[in-house]
């Protein structure tokens, strides 16, 4: 027996399936050609402005149908494909990434329903000639985290109510901070069945947003992520057919947890993209800037900073890739890997963006160089799909669940 018998095959932790590699290259081309030239203008435009032309170009690249099954005209790539695409976009503009990410999140309950009638009605919309957006309506003014943590459901207040009326439901209430709500064709709307305390009767409904009684509120004037529009959705006795219920009455929390576990991997990818974008700007600057007769990166102190930043970006990417693969291969999608990936990546985005601005000094503080946008947007992902505190509860619950026998 030779020594070679003990040698294992080389492992490439960044290896991606060929179709994912092709997707990454295609989206990178879309970003370089179409996204980067628009970043500054879209960021500085009035809050209610929206770049439909950019969405149309993204639609041509397949970004609105990444997870739509092939039988409905989609690419059927799963969470891994979404995550890889969103990292590439977020490295230039996190707000643009969220336009597409929020649409995919709106599609998620339809996909999770396994209802062929629901899927046949709504999923082909994203494979037509014109771009169509969707949204996911869960957050409310007084009920944010209480709709994410099952044990808090009974304490949720002022939740959108759904009252059964014959073969349909009447929805009444208000959703807040909903990305794409101003423009979406339909929303995956979570409402509580009348008679159940708090959100213990939470149920998912697919609601066409041109339905009578739906009002789209004003666009929020945000610190960052300005390329995507966030607004309120108001429901005044909006009639929704019973066939638009996803998974049956009272199963909204389960569906929401499933879609969150998938979405957290993709949000970690957005945070990774933000960190990478900031790092790339700082890296280029440190190659150009000369101090003491040598480029800045040759100074030991700067080299240490760059090395730490590069390591964090690489680790963040590995974590979201692992989480996305787990979400694609495990049924139900796991909690632990996506939650840890998001917790880590969200922090990395902030740390790397701040360090990158520090390296660039006054130039990093100027809007014209783009670094301040990465700093502003580095804080965004900490808010949606689970704050650090919510993620901590999810992670520790998963840790101790492993000890249950």
């Amino acid at each position: 027996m030779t020594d070679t018998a003990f040698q294992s095959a080389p492992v490439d932790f960044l290896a991606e399936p060929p179709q994912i590699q092709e997707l990454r290259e295609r989206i990178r081309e879309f970003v370089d050609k179409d996204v980067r030239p628009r970043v500054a203008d879209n960021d500085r435009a009035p809050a209610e402005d929206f770049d439909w032309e950019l969405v149309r170009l993204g639609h041509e690249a397949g970004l609105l149908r990444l997870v739509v099954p092939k039988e409905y005209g989609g690419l059927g790539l799963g969470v891994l494909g979404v995550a890889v695409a969103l990292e590439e976009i977020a490295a230039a503009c996190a707000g643009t990434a969220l336009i597409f990410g929020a649409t995919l999140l709106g599609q998620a309950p339809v996909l999770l329903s396994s209802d062929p009638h629901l899927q046949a009605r709504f999923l082909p919309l994203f494979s037509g000639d014109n771009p169509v957006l969707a949204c996911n309506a869960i957050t409310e003014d007084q009920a944010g985290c209480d709709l994410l943590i099952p044990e808090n459901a009974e304490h949720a207040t002022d939740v959108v109510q759904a009252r059964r009326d014959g073969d349909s439901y009447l929805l009444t209430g208000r959703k807040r901070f909903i990305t794409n709500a101003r423009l979406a064709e339909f929303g995956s709307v979570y409402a509580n069945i009348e008679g159940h305390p708090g959100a213990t009767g939470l149920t998912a409904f697919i609601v066409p947003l041109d339905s009578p009684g739906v009002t789209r509120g004003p666009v929020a004037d945000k610190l960052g992520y300005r390329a995507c529009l966030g607004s309120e959705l108001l429901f005044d006795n909006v009639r929704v057919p019973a066939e638009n219920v996803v998974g049956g009455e009272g199963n909204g929390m389960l569906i929401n947890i499933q879609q969150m576990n998938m979405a957290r991997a993709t949000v970690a990818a957005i945070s990774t993209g933000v960190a990478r974008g900031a790092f790339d700007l700082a890296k280029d600057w440190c190659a150009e800037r000369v101090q003491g007769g040598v480029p800045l990166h040759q100074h030991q102190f700067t080299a240490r900073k760059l090395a730490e930043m590069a390591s964090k970006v690489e680790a963040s990417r590995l974590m979201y890739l692992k989480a996305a693969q787990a979400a694609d291969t495990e049924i139900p999608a796991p909690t632990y890997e996506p939650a840890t990936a998001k917790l880590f990546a969200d922090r990395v985005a902030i740390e790397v963006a701040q360090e990158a601005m520090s390296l660039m000094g006054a130039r990093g503080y100027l809007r014209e160089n783009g670094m301040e946008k990465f700093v502003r947007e580095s804080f965004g992902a900490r808010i949606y799909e689970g704050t650090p505190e919510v993620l901590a509860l999810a992670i520790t619950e998963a840790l101790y669940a492993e000890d249950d026998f």
Side-chain angles (χ1 to χ4, degrees):
M1 185 178 295
T2 65
D3 291 342
T4 57
F6 296 97
Q7 296 177 359
S8 61
V11 177
D12 182 358
F13 290 101
L14 284 177
E16 297 169 352
Q19 66 269 32
I20 300 298
Q21 295 176 17
E22 294 171 6
L23 175 69
R24 188 185 287 277
E25 290 304 316
R26 184 166 74 250
I27 301 307
R28 188 169 292 176
E29 181 180 347
F30 160 69
V31 169
D32 290 340
K33 179 183 176 183
D34 300 314
V35 177
R36 292 189 192 280
R38 289 173 158 86
V39 168
D41 287 343
N42 286 342
D43 182 55
R44 299 173 191 177
E48 64 275 7
D49 283 10
F50 188 73
D51 192 346
W52 270 113
E53 175 62 14
L54 181 57
V55 175
R56 184 188 65 77
L57 293 167
H59 177 50
E60 291 178 357
L63 284 166
L64 294 174
R65 52 193 177 93
L66 292 175
V67 296
V68 173
K70 292 181 179 179
E71 57 263 36
Y72 298 119
L75 302 181
L77 291 178
V79 177
L80 181 60
V82 174
V84 165
L86 295 188
E87 183 203 340
E88 293 301 324
I89 302 171
C93 179
T96 302
L98 194 58
I99 295 170
F100 299 104
T103 291
L104 301 172
L105 189 59
Q107 297 168 353
V110 180
L111 291 163
L112 290 170
S113 72
S114 299
D115 183 337
H117 300 292
L118 211 56
Q119 292 178 353
R121 285 171 56 203
F122 290 101
L123 295 181
L125 294 172
F126 302 96
S127 301
D129 294 334
N130 298 317
V132 171
L133 301 182
C135 67
N136 184 71
I138 179 73
T139 305
E140 306 194 357
D141 193 34
Q142 300 299 323
C145 295
D146 284 345
L147 299 178
L148 305 181
I149 304 172
E151 55 267 31
N152 284 14
E154 64 179 306
H155 304 294
T157 59
D158 297 330
V159 181
V160 170
Q161 293 292 296
R163 176 170 61 87
R164 186 71 188 243
D165 184 46
D167 58 356
S168 60
Y169 294 80
L170 296 176
L171 271 56
T172 299
R174 180 176 69 160
K175 295 290 184 180
R176 293 200 69 189
F177 312 117
I178 309 302
T179 301
N180 289 349
R182 187 79 171 180
L183 308 158
E185 185 86 4
F186 70 83
S188 297
V189 180
Y190 288 79
N192 192 60
I193 300 297
E194 188 178 62
H196 294 264
T200 56
L202 200 66
T203 302
F205 298 84
I206 306 302
V207 183
L209 295 182
D210 60 355
S211 300
V214 175
T215 301
R216 304 174 196 248
V219 174
D221 194 0
K222 306 189 300 298
L223 174 72
Y225 284 77
R226 295 179 62 84
C228 63
L229 307 189
S231 62
E232 298 181 348
L233 282 174
L234 290 86
F235 303 90
D236 183 9
N237 284 319
V238 177
R239 187 170 295 277
V240 182
E243 62 191 27
N244 284 26
V245 171
V246 179
E249 282 191 7
N251 287 320
M253 187 67 74
L254 293 175
I255 294 167
N256 187 38
I257 289 171
Q258 278 297 291
Q259 71 175 30
M260 275 196 308
N261 289 342
M262 296 187 294
R264 284 170 177 168
T266 66
V267 177
I270 291 177
S271 287
T272 302
V274 171
R276 176 182 131 199
F279 172 71
D280 286 345
L281 280 180
K283 182 182 68 173
D284 292 345
W285 169 249
C286 290
E288 298 171 5
R289 179 66 165 174
V290 175
Q291 293 280 1
V294 297
L296 199 57
H297 70 86
Q298 292 185 18
H299 291 270
Q300 189 177 52
F301 184 74
T302 303
R304 172 64 184 270
K305 286 189 173 184
L306 289 170
E308 292 283 356
M309 293 159 68
S311 298
K312 289 177 180 179
V313 173
E314 293 293 337
S316 184
R317 181 178 297 112
L318 282 170
M319 289 189 72
Y320 93 64
L321 288 173
K322 179 183 177 184
Q325 290 172 340
D328 277 337
T329 56
E330 297 183 28
I331 301 176
T335 296
Y336 181 77
E337 290 87 351
T340 53
K342 184 180 186 298
L343 183 69
F344 182 77
D346 290 352
R347 185 175 72 245
V348 163
I350 295 170
E351 292 173 351
V352 170
Q354 290 180 333
E355 198 71 89
M357 175 175 277
S358 176
L359 285 173
M360 290 185 69
R363 287 170 178 79
Y365 204 65
L366 297 177
R367 296 192 73 181
E368 66 190 55
N369 292 312
M371 183 60 76
E372 59 84 32
K373 179 176 182 291
F374 283 115
V375 174
R376 284 187 283 117
E377 295 192 335
S378 69
F379 287 89
R382 274 202 168 186
I383 299 170
Y384 61 92
E385 297 305 323
T387 63
E389 295 76 18
V390 169
L391 294 172
L393 290 172
I395 291 167
T396 51
E397 182 178 350
L399 284 173
Y400 286 101
E402 295 176 357
D403 296 332
D404 294 339
F405 298 97

